[in-house]
Amino acid sequence: MFAYAQKESIEKRYKPLGQLGSGATAVVKKYQHRETGKDYAVKTINKKEIQEKILKREVDILLHLSHDNIIKMHDIYEGTNHLHLVLELVTGGELFDRIVKVGTYSEVVAAKAIQQILQAVQYLHGNGIIHRDLKPENLLYAHPGDDSAIKIADFGMSRMLKPDQVEMMTCCGTPGYVAPEVLLGKMYDGQVDLWAVGVILFIMLGGYEPFAGDDSSDAKIYQRIIKCEYKFDEDYWKDITLSARDVIAKMLVLEPKSRLTAGQCLDHPWVKGLGAKDEHLEKCVTKIREFNARRKLKGGIYGVIGANAMLQAIRKLAQ
Ligand code: AMP
Protein backbone atom coordinates (compact mmCIF):
# COMPACT_ATOMS: atom_id res chain seq x y z
CA MET A 1 0.00 0.00 0.00
CA PHE A 2 2.89 2.33 0.84
CA ALA A 3 5.81 2.02 -1.55
CA TYR A 4 8.05 4.17 0.64
CA ALA A 5 7.39 2.17 3.85
CA GLN A 6 9.97 -0.21 5.34
CA LYS A 7 8.75 -3.78 4.91
CA GLU A 8 10.86 -5.47 7.61
CA SER A 9 9.46 -5.94 11.13
CA ILE A 10 9.57 -2.71 13.15
CA GLU A 11 10.86 -4.70 16.12
CA LYS A 12 14.10 -5.38 14.30
CA ARG A 13 15.13 -1.77 14.70
CA TYR A 14 12.88 -0.56 17.55
CA LYS A 15 12.23 -2.08 20.98
CA PRO A 16 8.59 -1.77 22.16
CA LEU A 17 8.09 -0.13 25.56
CA GLY A 18 4.77 0.83 27.20
CA GLN A 19 1.51 2.11 25.72
CA LEU A 20 1.09 5.91 25.50
CA GLY A 21 -2.49 6.19 24.38
CA SER A 22 -5.05 5.11 21.86
CA GLY A 23 -7.23 6.78 19.27
CA ALA A 24 -10.26 5.69 17.27
CA THR A 25 -8.31 3.44 14.91
CA ALA A 26 -4.82 3.36 16.38
CA VAL A 27 -2.74 2.38 19.39
CA VAL A 28 0.22 4.57 20.29
CA LYS A 29 3.19 2.96 22.06
CA LYS A 30 6.62 4.10 23.12
CA TYR A 31 9.45 2.44 21.19
CA GLN A 32 13.20 2.80 21.54
CA HIS A 33 15.53 2.80 18.56
CA ARG A 34 17.84 -0.15 19.21
CA GLU A 35 20.97 1.57 17.83
CA THR A 36 20.60 5.19 18.96
CA GLY A 37 18.62 4.52 22.17
CA LYS A 38 16.27 7.38 21.21
CA ASP A 39 12.60 7.07 22.17
CA TYR A 40 9.74 7.51 19.72
CA ALA A 41 5.95 7.28 19.73
CA VAL A 42 4.76 4.64 17.31
CA LYS A 43 1.21 4.88 16.06
CA THR A 44 0.07 1.43 14.95
CA ILE A 45 -2.93 1.40 12.67
CA ASN A 46 -4.89 -1.70 11.72
CA LYS A 47 -5.17 -1.31 7.95
CA LYS A 48 -8.45 -3.24 7.85
CA GLU A 49 -10.16 -0.77 10.17
CA ILE A 50 -9.57 2.31 8.09
CA GLN A 51 -10.17 3.15 4.44
CA GLU A 52 -6.97 3.09 2.41
CA LYS A 53 -7.75 6.54 0.99
CA ILE A 54 -8.04 8.09 4.46
CA LEU A 55 -4.91 6.40 5.74
CA LYS A 56 -2.90 7.49 2.70
CA ARG A 57 -4.08 11.04 3.23
CA GLU A 58 -2.82 11.22 6.83
CA VAL A 59 0.51 9.61 5.93
CA ASP A 60 1.03 11.83 2.86
CA ILE A 61 0.40 14.92 4.94
CA LEU A 62 2.75 13.83 7.74
CA LEU A 63 5.45 13.11 5.15
CA HIS A 64 5.20 16.68 3.87
CA LEU A 65 5.46 18.41 7.23
CA SER A 66 8.51 19.83 8.95
CA HIS A 67 7.86 22.57 11.51
CA ASP A 68 8.94 23.12 15.13
CA ASN A 69 5.31 23.24 16.25
CA ILE A 70 4.11 20.12 14.46
CA ILE A 71 4.83 16.52 15.50
CA LYS A 72 7.31 15.04 13.03
CA MET A 73 7.14 11.61 11.41
CA HIS A 74 10.52 9.85 11.23
CA ASP A 75 9.76 6.52 9.61
CA ILE A 76 7.03 4.18 8.37
CA TYR A 77 6.87 0.37 8.65
CA GLU A 78 4.27 -1.68 6.86
CA GLY A 79 3.26 -5.25 7.69
CA THR A 80 0.44 -7.40 6.26
CA ASN A 81 -2.21 -6.02 8.61
CA HIS A 82 -0.65 -3.03 10.29
CA LEU A 83 1.01 0.26 9.48
CA HIS A 84 3.44 1.73 12.04
CA LEU A 85 4.12 5.46 11.97
CA VAL A 86 7.29 6.33 13.89
CA LEU A 87 6.64 9.78 15.34
CA GLU A 88 8.56 12.27 17.44
CA LEU A 89 7.77 11.43 21.08
CA VAL A 90 6.25 14.24 23.09
CA THR A 91 6.25 14.05 26.87
CA GLY A 92 4.94 17.40 28.09
CA GLY A 93 1.23 16.55 28.10
CA GLU A 94 -1.76 18.48 26.78
CA LEU A 95 -1.77 22.29 26.78
CA PHE A 96 -4.85 22.53 29.02
CA ASP A 97 -3.47 20.02 31.55
CA ARG A 98 -0.33 22.09 31.90
CA ILE A 99 -2.29 25.33 32.38
CA VAL A 100 -3.97 23.85 35.46
CA LYS A 101 -0.76 22.21 36.76
CA VAL A 102 1.68 25.13 36.66
CA GLY A 103 1.67 27.65 39.49
CA THR A 104 1.01 30.79 37.48
CA TYR A 105 -0.96 31.36 34.33
CA SER A 106 -1.42 34.73 32.66
CA GLU A 107 -2.39 36.31 29.35
CA VAL A 108 1.33 36.41 28.51
CA VAL A 109 1.54 32.61 28.85
CA ALA A 110 -1.63 32.20 26.76
CA ALA A 111 -0.31 34.57 24.07
CA LYS A 112 2.97 32.61 23.81
CA ALA A 113 1.04 29.37 23.37
CA ILE A 114 -1.40 30.74 20.80
CA GLN A 115 1.46 32.35 18.86
CA GLN A 116 3.10 28.93 18.37
CA ILE A 117 -0.20 27.36 17.34
CA LEU A 118 -0.78 30.17 14.82
CA GLN A 119 2.74 29.79 13.41
CA ALA A 120 2.04 26.11 12.79
CA VAL A 121 -1.34 26.92 11.21
CA GLN A 122 0.26 29.56 8.98
CA TYR A 123 2.81 26.96 7.85
CA LEU A 124 0.08 24.38 7.17
CA HIS A 125 -2.03 26.80 5.15
CA GLY A 126 1.05 27.99 3.23
CA ASN A 127 1.49 24.34 2.21
CA GLY A 128 -2.15 23.88 1.17
CA ILE A 129 -3.05 21.80 4.25
CA ILE A 130 -6.15 22.31 6.41
CA HIS A 131 -5.98 20.60 9.81
CA ARG A 132 -9.80 20.55 10.28
CA ASP A 133 -9.69 19.21 13.84
CA LEU A 134 -7.83 21.70 16.00
CA LYS A 135 -8.89 21.24 19.62
CA PRO A 136 -7.18 21.19 23.04
CA GLU A 137 -6.54 17.41 22.91
CA ASN A 138 -4.38 17.89 19.81
CA LEU A 139 -2.10 20.53 21.35
CA LEU A 140 0.77 18.85 23.17
CA TYR A 141 3.93 20.10 24.89
CA ALA A 142 7.19 18.59 23.59
CA HIS A 143 8.63 18.09 27.10
CA PRO A 144 7.81 19.05 30.71
CA GLY A 145 10.34 21.95 30.84
CA ASP A 146 9.28 25.63 30.99
CA ASP A 147 10.85 26.30 27.59
CA SER A 148 8.93 23.50 25.83
CA ALA A 149 7.43 24.11 22.41
CA ILE A 150 3.78 23.27 21.71
CA LYS A 151 3.18 20.75 18.96
CA ILE A 152 0.08 20.18 16.89
CA ALA A 153 -0.76 16.46 16.73
CA ASP A 154 -3.20 14.17 14.96
CA PHE A 155 -3.54 14.84 11.27
CA GLY A 156 -6.18 12.13 10.86
CA MET A 157 -8.77 14.68 9.69
CA SER A 158 -6.46 16.91 7.69
CA ARG A 159 -6.69 17.49 3.98
CA MET A 160 -4.20 18.65 1.44
CA LEU A 161 -5.74 20.81 -1.25
CA LYS A 162 -4.83 19.94 -4.83
CA PRO A 163 -2.65 22.58 -6.53
CA ASP A 164 -5.59 24.40 -8.15
CA GLN A 165 -8.10 23.68 -5.38
CA VAL A 166 -8.86 26.49 -2.96
CA GLU A 167 -11.91 25.20 -1.13
CA MET A 168 -13.65 21.99 -0.06
CA MET A 169 -17.01 20.84 1.26
CA THR A 170 -16.77 17.63 3.34
CA CYS A 171 -18.58 17.98 6.65
CA CYS A 172 -16.40 16.95 9.60
CA GLY A 173 -14.83 18.17 12.83
CA THR A 174 -15.53 18.08 16.55
CA PRO A 175 -18.65 19.71 18.07
CA GLY A 176 -17.78 23.00 19.68
CA TYR A 177 -14.81 23.74 17.41
CA VAL A 178 -16.41 23.31 14.00
CA ALA A 179 -16.78 26.45 11.86
CA PRO A 180 -20.21 27.78 10.75
CA GLU A 181 -19.47 27.43 7.03
CA VAL A 182 -18.82 23.68 7.53
CA LEU A 183 -22.14 23.24 9.33
CA LEU A 184 -23.96 25.20 6.66
CA GLY A 185 -22.60 22.91 3.94
CA LYS A 186 -20.76 25.76 2.22
CA MET A 187 -17.43 25.51 0.46
CA TYR A 188 -14.67 26.21 2.96
CA ASP A 189 -10.93 26.70 3.22
CA GLY A 190 -8.20 26.99 5.87
CA GLN A 191 -10.17 29.69 7.66
CA VAL A 192 -12.03 26.86 9.47
CA ASP A 193 -8.82 26.36 11.46
CA LEU A 194 -8.81 30.04 12.51
CA TRP A 195 -12.34 29.63 13.85
CA ALA A 196 -11.14 26.66 15.93
CA VAL A 197 -8.14 28.64 17.21
CA GLY A 198 -10.59 31.41 18.20
CA VAL A 199 -12.64 28.88 20.20
CA ILE A 200 -9.48 27.49 21.84
CA LEU A 201 -8.26 30.97 22.82
CA PHE A 202 -11.72 31.85 24.17
CA ILE A 203 -11.56 28.80 26.47
CA MET A 204 -7.94 29.58 27.43
CA LEU A 205 -8.95 32.99 28.76
CA GLY A 206 -12.60 32.59 29.77
CA GLY A 207 -12.39 28.99 31.02
CA TYR A 208 -15.63 27.96 29.32
CA GLU A 209 -16.67 27.06 25.77
CA PRO A 210 -18.16 29.94 23.77
CA PHE A 211 -20.93 27.96 22.11
CA ALA A 212 -21.76 25.26 24.69
CA GLY A 213 -23.94 25.73 27.76
CA ASP A 214 -24.39 23.17 30.56
CA ASP A 215 -27.44 21.67 28.86
CA SER A 216 -25.97 21.68 25.36
CA SER A 217 -26.84 18.98 22.88
CA ASP A 218 -24.76 19.00 19.71
CA ALA A 219 -27.74 20.50 17.84
CA LYS A 220 -27.90 23.44 20.27
CA ILE A 221 -24.16 24.02 19.94
CA TYR A 222 -24.48 24.06 16.14
CA GLN A 223 -27.41 26.47 16.35
CA ARG A 224 -25.29 28.94 18.33
CA ILE A 225 -22.29 28.45 16.02
CA ILE A 226 -24.19 29.24 12.84
CA LYS A 227 -25.41 32.48 14.45
CA CYS A 228 -22.01 33.17 16.06
CA GLU A 229 -23.92 33.50 19.33
CA TYR A 230 -21.44 33.85 22.21
CA LYS A 231 -20.63 36.50 24.77
CA PHE A 232 -17.80 37.62 27.00
CA ASP A 233 -19.57 37.06 30.31
CA GLU A 234 -18.28 39.84 32.60
CA ASP A 235 -18.14 37.44 35.58
CA TYR A 236 -15.25 35.70 33.83
CA TRP A 237 -13.88 38.32 31.45
CA LYS A 238 -13.60 41.42 33.63
CA ASP A 239 -9.90 40.79 34.34
CA ILE A 240 -9.06 40.04 30.69
CA THR A 241 -7.72 42.84 28.47
CA LEU A 242 -9.78 44.36 25.66
CA SER A 243 -6.90 43.53 23.31
CA ALA A 244 -7.33 39.79 24.03
CA ARG A 245 -11.07 40.04 23.45
CA ASP A 246 -10.39 41.96 20.23
CA VAL A 247 -8.32 39.17 18.66
CA ILE A 248 -10.89 36.52 19.67
CA ALA A 249 -13.74 38.61 18.25
CA LYS A 250 -11.81 38.90 14.98
CA MET A 251 -11.39 35.11 14.76
CA LEU A 252 -14.96 34.21 15.73
CA VAL A 253 -16.45 35.89 12.65
CA LEU A 254 -19.16 34.19 10.57
CA GLU A 255 -17.83 35.25 7.18
CA PRO A 256 -14.55 33.33 6.62
CA LYS A 257 -13.12 36.06 4.37
CA SER A 258 -13.61 38.65 7.13
CA ARG A 259 -12.03 36.36 9.75
CA LEU A 260 -8.36 37.10 10.48
CA THR A 261 -5.91 34.78 8.72
CA ALA A 262 -3.12 33.10 10.71
CA GLY A 263 -0.65 35.73 9.43
CA GLN A 264 -2.95 38.61 10.42
CA CYS A 265 -3.43 37.09 13.89
CA LEU A 266 0.36 36.86 14.28
CA ASP A 267 0.53 40.61 13.58
CA HIS A 268 -2.05 41.40 16.28
CA PRO A 269 -0.40 43.23 19.24
CA TRP A 270 -1.94 40.85 21.82
CA VAL A 271 -0.62 37.76 20.04
CA LYS A 272 2.81 39.43 19.86
CA GLY A 273 2.64 39.71 23.65
CA LEU A 274 2.51 43.52 23.59
CA GLY A 275 -1.03 43.94 24.90
CA ALA A 276 -1.09 40.81 27.10
CA LYS A 277 -1.30 41.23 30.89
CA ASP A 278 1.13 39.36 33.13
CA GLU A 279 -1.21 38.81 36.07
CA HIS A 280 -2.12 35.35 37.38
CA LEU A 281 -5.62 34.29 36.24
CA GLU A 282 -6.82 32.26 39.23
CA LYS A 283 -10.52 32.22 38.31
CA CYS A 284 -9.74 31.16 34.75
CA VAL A 285 -7.51 28.29 35.94
CA THR A 286 -10.33 27.03 38.19
CA LYS A 287 -12.76 27.12 35.25
CA ILE A 288 -10.29 25.36 32.92
CA ARG A 289 -9.82 22.64 35.58
CA GLU A 290 -13.61 22.08 35.53
CA PHE A 291 -13.65 22.17 31.73
CA ASN A 292 -10.85 19.54 31.58
CA ALA A 293 -12.69 17.25 34.00
CA ARG A 294 -15.93 17.49 31.96
CA ARG A 295 -14.07 16.91 28.71
CA LYS A 296 -12.26 13.82 29.99
CA LEU A 297 -15.46 12.39 31.42
CA LYS A 298 -17.15 12.69 28.03
CA GLY A 299 -14.02 11.15 26.43
CA GLY A 300 -14.66 9.09 23.34
CA ILE A 301 -18.41 9.69 23.27
CA TYR A 302 -17.78 13.36 22.61
CA GLY A 303 -15.03 12.74 20.08
CA VAL A 304 -14.83 13.42 16.42
CA ILE A 305 -18.06 13.34 14.50
CA GLY A 306 -18.38 12.07 11.00
CA ALA A 307 -20.16 13.71 8.13
CA ASN A 308 -23.38 11.74 8.63
CA ALA A 309 -23.87 12.53 12.30
CA MET A 310 -23.20 16.17 11.69
CA LEU A 311 -25.52 16.41 8.70
CA GLN A 312 -28.29 14.70 10.68
CA ALA A 313 -27.93 17.21 13.49
CA ILE A 314 -28.01 20.07 11.00
CA ARG A 315 -31.18 18.68 9.39
CA LYS A 316 -32.75 18.53 12.85
CA LEU A 317 -31.94 22.21 13.24
CA ALA A 318 -33.71 23.08 10.03
CA GLN A 319 -36.95 21.31 11.12
P1 AMP B 1 -3.99 9.98 18.19
O1 AMP B 1 -4.66 8.77 17.63
O2 AMP B 1 -2.94 10.55 17.26
O3 AMP B 1 -4.97 11.00 18.68
O4 AMP B 1 -3.18 9.47 19.50
C1 AMP B 1 -3.83 8.89 20.59
C2 AMP B 1 -3.09 9.19 21.89
O5 AMP B 1 -1.75 8.69 21.84
C3 AMP B 1 -2.92 10.67 22.20
O6 AMP B 1 -4.03 11.19 22.87
C4 AMP B 1 -1.66 10.69 23.07
O7 AMP B 1 -1.99 10.33 24.40
C5 AMP B 1 -0.84 9.57 22.48
N1 AMP B 1 0.11 10.11 21.49
C6 AMP B 1 -0.13 10.29 20.17
N2 AMP B 1 0.94 10.77 19.54
C7 AMP B 1 1.90 10.90 20.49
C8 AMP B 1 3.28 11.35 20.45
N3 AMP B 1 3.83 11.76 19.32
N4 AMP B 1 3.97 11.33 21.62
C9 AMP B 1 3.38 10.91 22.77
N5 AMP B 1 2.11 10.48 22.87
C10 AMP B 1 1.37 10.47 21.74
Side-chain angles (χ1 to χ4, degrees):
M1 194 194 274
F2 295 91
Y4 38 76
Q6 317 267 11
K7 303 296 177 201
E8 64 181 7
S9 161
I10 184 167
E11 304 206 354
K12 244 178 139 176
R13 295 210 185 273
Y14 295 84
K15 184 164 105 190
L17 302 172
Q19 182 157 330
L20 294 165
S22 59
T25 53
V27 177
V28 183
K29 284 188 187 157
K30 190 165 155 181
Y31 274 67
Q32 189 176 55
H33 194 275
R34 292 188 190 273
E35 263 174 45
T36 63
K38 207 171 167 214
D39 292 336
Y40 292 91
V42 175
K43 186 167 175 172
T44 297
I45 301 162
N46 186 337
K47 292 194 287 184
K48 288 193 188 120
E49 284 175 11
I50 182 163
Q51 270 181 46
E52 187 178 328
K53 190 176 77 175
I54 294 175
L55 188 53
K56 278 209 161 117
R57 201 187 282 157
E58 178 175 359
V59 173
D60 275 349
I61 287 175
L62 281 169
L63 275 173
H64 270 81
L65 301 178
S66 175
H67 189 274
D68 285 347
N69 301 110
I70 295 173
I71 287 186
K72 277 189 191 55
M73 186 166 70
H74 290 271
D75 225 337
I76 310 170
Y77 284 78
E78 185 175 19
T80 320
N81 298 319
H82 294 95
L83 191 71
H84 307 277
L85 309 181
V86 182
L87 306 170
E88 169 186 6
L89 174 73
V90 295
T91 56
E94 288 179 18
L95 165 67
F96 278 33
D97 287 334
R98 184 177 294 206
I99 291 176
V100 300
K101 256 190 230 149
V102 295
T104 54
Y105 173 63
S106 67
E107 282 187 29
V108 171
V109 176
K112 273 189 194 143
I114 221 72
Q115 192 181 51
Q116 295 179 60
I117 296 162
L118 286 164
Q119 276 162 353
V121 171
Q122 186 184 37
Y123 167 83
L124 290 175
H125 292 178
N127 284 282
I129 295 162
I130 314 179
H131 187 282
R132 301 201 304 180
D133 197 23
L134 290 175
K135 55 183 173 181
E137 293 87 323
N138 290 336
L139 305 172
L140 307 170
Y141 275 101
H143 59 77
D146 287 345
D147 58 340
S148 167
I150 293 182
K151 308 260 177 181
I152 296 186
D154 198 353
F155 284 76
M157 294 271 264
S158 304
R159 285 299 292 271
M160 198 183 305
L161 297 171
K162 295 187 185 85
D164 53 351
Q165 188 185 3
V166 285
E167 293 177 314
M168 61 188 348
M169 236 183 119
T170 318
C171 202
C172 69
T174 297
Y177 303 91
V178 72
E181 60 271 28
V182 177
L183 290 174
L184 292 167
K186 294 184 181 170
M187 296 298 279
Y188 63 81
D189 59 14
Q191 288 301 86
V192 298
D193 289 336
L194 271 301
W195 176 276
V197 176
V199 174
I200 292 165
L201 183 55
F202 186 102
I203 305 170
M204 283 172 79
L205 297 176
Y208 63 98
E209 291 171 272
F211 302 105
D214 293 339
D215 60 330
S216 290
S217 62
D218 289 352
K220 276 191 185 151
I221 295 174
Y222 299 152
Q223 212 155 21
R224 293 188 197 113
I225 292 173
I226 59 176
K227 292 191 211 147
C228 196
E229 206 176 276
Y230 74 94
K231 65 175 199 281
F232 295 111
D233 186 335
E234 277 307 311
D235 278 351
Y236 304 106
W237 288 87
K238 64 177 187 318
D239 297 330
I240 306 295
T241 57
L242 291 178
S243 186
R245 298 190 209 190
D246 181 67
V247 69
I248 294 170
K250 286 174 177 161
M251 283 194 254
L252 297 181
V253 170
L254 279 182
E255 174 52 51
K257 288 199 166 41
S258 308
R259 200 176 296 153
L260 291 189
T261 62
Q264 287 167 335
C265 286
L266 284 164
D267 283 338
H268 191 284
W270 187 87
V271 174
K272 286 180 158 169
L274 302 174
K277 240 181 5 188
D278 201 9
E279 264 168 40
H280 178 55
L281 299 170
E282 184 59 43
K283 204 170 190 173
C284 176
V285 171
T286 306
K287 290 284 288 176
I288 292 179
R289 193 170 285 123
E290 289 166 15
F291 168 74
N292 276 352
R294 271 200 310 277
R295 193 164 54 103
K296 291 192 177 166
L297 197 71
K298 282 175 188 162
I301 316 164
Y302 198 65
V304 169
I305 35 168
N308 280 344
M310 199 181 277
L311 286 170
Q312 265 173 17
I314 296 163
R315 269 187 215 117
K316 237 163 91 187
L317 281 182
Q319 282 166 8

